[in-house]
Amino acid sequence: NTSHTVVIIGGGAAGIATAASMLKRRPGLDIAIVEPSDTHSYQPGWTMVGAGVFEPEVTQRPMASVMPKGVNWIKAAAASFQPEDNQVTLEDGSRLRYDLLIVAPGIRLAWEKIEGLEKTLGKNGVTSNYRYDLAPYTWELVQNLKSGRAIFTQPPMPIKCAGAPQKSMYLSCDHWLRSGVLDDIEVEFRNAGGVLFGVQDYVPALMEYVEKYHIGLQLGSNLVAVDGPAGVATFASEDGEVNHEFDMLHVVPPQVAPQFLADSPLAATSGFTDVDQHTLQHVRYPNVFGLGDAGSMPNAKTAAAARKQAPVVAVNALRALDGKGPTAGYDGYGSCPLTVERGKIVLAEFGYGGKLTPSFPTWLIDGTKPTRLSWMLKADILPWIYWNGMLKGREWLAGPGNMIAQ
Ligand code: FAD
């Protein structure tokens, strides 16, 4: 059995940023990160890959290259938690002991919940920007479609980056409009939820684009099955199930807490890590913290949120190691740059309760309106800040104030 002062589960946006932030505050701290993947993904970039703006390669780096110096990378998956014994069991059966545990394994994409989907993903016009290998197929389909019906789906909440289902749709429509084929394409947005976007202040700007692109907006319509070869998708609504033919189908899968977390004593009833939404400390185990998409907090699950949470966890976790109570607080900040057309973004930034938390004064960027400056942020500045600020614990670049969205 191995033992480390700090064990972090997950080397994604949240896990790496937290390790880097803790090491900046306490150099030499003994941290182990449990992470099975060889590569680390900048998932916010996949929307841009699906629209032909980014090459896929710029959104991935070797995991080894983002591991902060001095961290012990344990290349394995965690399988269960024994918080009473301050212990994590890995998939190979080995055990890891800790003084302090940070839980950040992300959210699980539950493709299998949609009947017939897995076997047709990546062919028959069925795609998703939620997977690195499929985002380029989205762009291929968009370029090839000249007429017919394109359906974009959104599953029930919670999902990571709740704006991503419509981002892909607007960018596709923009391409069809510019290439003169939009009039021959019927576009539908089928959203299991009851609103276009959860924070009302951004809805009017989005509705203008729904109208501009002649998008058929269907709320309360949930994708339940796909027959790829037949080009038919089945949606459930209050009125029962209906089949719709499609030429292109962009699917966002239902999303759930990782099973090993949901099955553990650390889980809330939702399955996510049961933490206080401000201090991010576990509500039952004070030497456990949780952040990122796997946390139970009711914020928008985004990398931007993880960027703000990481220093809060770093500060409070170091205090817990010293036997002290938490002092840092997270306000629920999350951000969603809604790519409404190539070159313009509606920059949604908000905290708990849908309170707007803009990073910029309105004269510079009014987040409720489409602006070119926010597109420049997303396309040119934010990826750089992610790799060189957030993942390096350089908070003067990446926060911790309301400086910049992700
Ligand atoms: P992740 O970054 O997903 O990392 C989780 C890590 O845990 C992974 O490396 C995984 O391998 C590891 N792991 C899983 N299981 C285990 C296990 N059993 N043991 C150990 N490790 C494990 N966010 C924004 O801020 N802005 C955007 O514009 C935006 N757009 C998006 C568009 C798309 C298409 C997608 C898919 C996401 C987007 N996001 C966006 C969301 C953002 O990517 C996530 O919110 C962010 O990555 C969450 O960080 P995380 O560390 O919690 O999870």
Side-chain angles (χ1 to χ4, degrees):
N1 290 358
T2 326
S3 168
H4 291 281
T5 310
V6 179
V7 168
I8 299 179
I9 306 302
I16 298 288
T18 306
S21 181
M22 290 182 89
L23 284 168
K24 275 267 186 279
R25 293 182 157 79
R26 195 166 294 182
L29 183 68
D30 169 28
I31 301 181
I33 299 184
V34 178
E35 166 60 64
S37 179
D38 285 323
T39 47
H40 178 106
S41 293
Y42 176 62
Q43 300 167 40
W46 295 349
T47 298
M48 304 296 255
V49 174
V53 183
F54 285 1
E55 290 301 324
E57 296 75 27
V58 306
T59 67
Q60 263 194 351
R61 290 193 184 177
M63 188 60 77
S65 75
V66 301
M67 283 285 161
K69 275 202 189 67
V71 157
N72 303 279
W73 174 19
I74 299 173
K75 195 173 176 315
S80 64
F81 295 108
Q82 296 79 44
E84 307 288 347
D85 304 326
N86 298 321
Q87 183 180 285
V88 179
T89 303
L90 307 183
E91 263 181 356
D92 66 2
S94 63
R95 283 151 199 214
L96 206 53
R97 289 182 61 84
Y98 57 81
D99 296 326
L100 191 123
L101 176 70
I102 295 169
V103 183
I107 195 165
R108 186 175 80 78
L109 304 176
W111 304 99
E112 77 286 354
K113 284 185 188 279
I114 296 169
E115 197 190 317
L117 176 60
E118 278 170 304
K119 59 173 182 275
T120 191
L121 272 174
K123 35 183 206 254
N124 302 314
V126 183
T127 190
S128 179
N129 285 349
Y130 274 64
R131 239 171 59 182
Y132 174 79
D133 60 323
L134 293 175
Y137 184 52
T138 304
W139 179 228
E140 193 186 314
L141 291 175
V142 169
Q143 287 172 290
N144 291 338
L145 193 71
K146 310 285 183 219
S147 65
R149 183 187 283 148
I151 307 181
F152 295 79
T153 75
Q154 179 169 328
M157 290 297 193
I159 62 169
K160 54 180 157 187
C161 198
Q166 45 189 309
K167 292 182 199 178
S168 162
M169 174 174 66
Y170 299 134
L171 289 177
S172 303
C173 287
D174 179 67
H175 177 81
W176 294 325
L177 183 65
R178 285 169 201 250
S179 46
V181 295
L182 185 63
D183 282 345
D184 299 317
I185 300 176
E186 191 188 339
V187 183
E188 288 182 0
F189 186 50
R190 294 193 164 266
N191 179 351
V195 288
L196 180 61
F197 191 74
V199 182
Q200 176 55 33
D201 298 71
Y202 302 104
V203 173
L206 299 176
M207 277 310 292
E208 279 186 27
Y209 281 90
V210 166
E211 278 153 32
K212 175 179 170 186
Y213 299 133
H214 310 295
I215 294 167
L217 181 58
Q218 299 291 332
L219 301 175
S221 179
N222 188 22
L223 179 68
V224 290
V226 183
D227 181 341
V232 173
T234 309
F235 293 85
S237 73
E238 272 179 10
D239 308 325
E241 289 194 355
V242 279
N243 288 338
H244 291 276
E245 288 182 1
F246 63 82
D247 298 281
M248 171 181 168
L249 181 68
H250 180 272
V251 180
V252 175
Q255 298 170 35
V256 296
Q259 196 60 43
F260 78 103
L261 171 59
D263 290 341
S264 81
L266 298 181
T269 44
S270 61
F272 296 102
T273 322
D274 202 357
V275 294
D276 177 272
Q277 66 177 47
H278 296 292
T279 65
L280 308 178
Q281 186 170 36
H282 198 278
V283 297
R284 292 182 294 281
Y285 303 98
N287 66 336
V288 178
F289 287 79
L291 77 162
D293 293 349
S296 64
M297 312 78 77
N299 61 277
K301 293 186 185 296
T302 55
R307 177 177 56 74
K308 298 297 289 292
Q309 294 161 0
V312 171
V313 169
V315 167
N316 291 343
L318 287 173
R319 284 184 61 89
L321 276 177
D322 298 340
K324 297 179 189 155
T327 50
Y330 166 60
D331 63 359
Y333 177 88
S335 154
C336 200
L338 292 141
T339 48
V340 285
E341 62 178 275
R342 196 171 170 127
K344 280 193 189 170
I345 275 178
V346 170
L347 184 61
E349 296 184 280
F350 49 90
Y352 289 138
K355 181 173 173 282
L356 302 200
T357 51
S359 298
F360 303 94
T362 319
W363 59 264
L364 190 58
I365 294 181
D366 178 354
T368 65
K369 305 259 161 46
T371 62
R372 289 197 182 282
L373 207 50
S374 15
W375 177 272
M376 284 165 62
L377 262 182
K378 166 104 187 149
D380 304 321
I381 300 169
L382 290 174
W384 189 86
I385 285 180
Y386 180 83
W387 299 112
N388 302 299
M390 175 173 168
L391 296 193
K392 301 280 188 214
R394 292 183 187 129
E395 281 146 27
W396 53 274
L397 261 179
N402 275 340
M403 254 182 54
I404 233 168
Q406 195 55 251

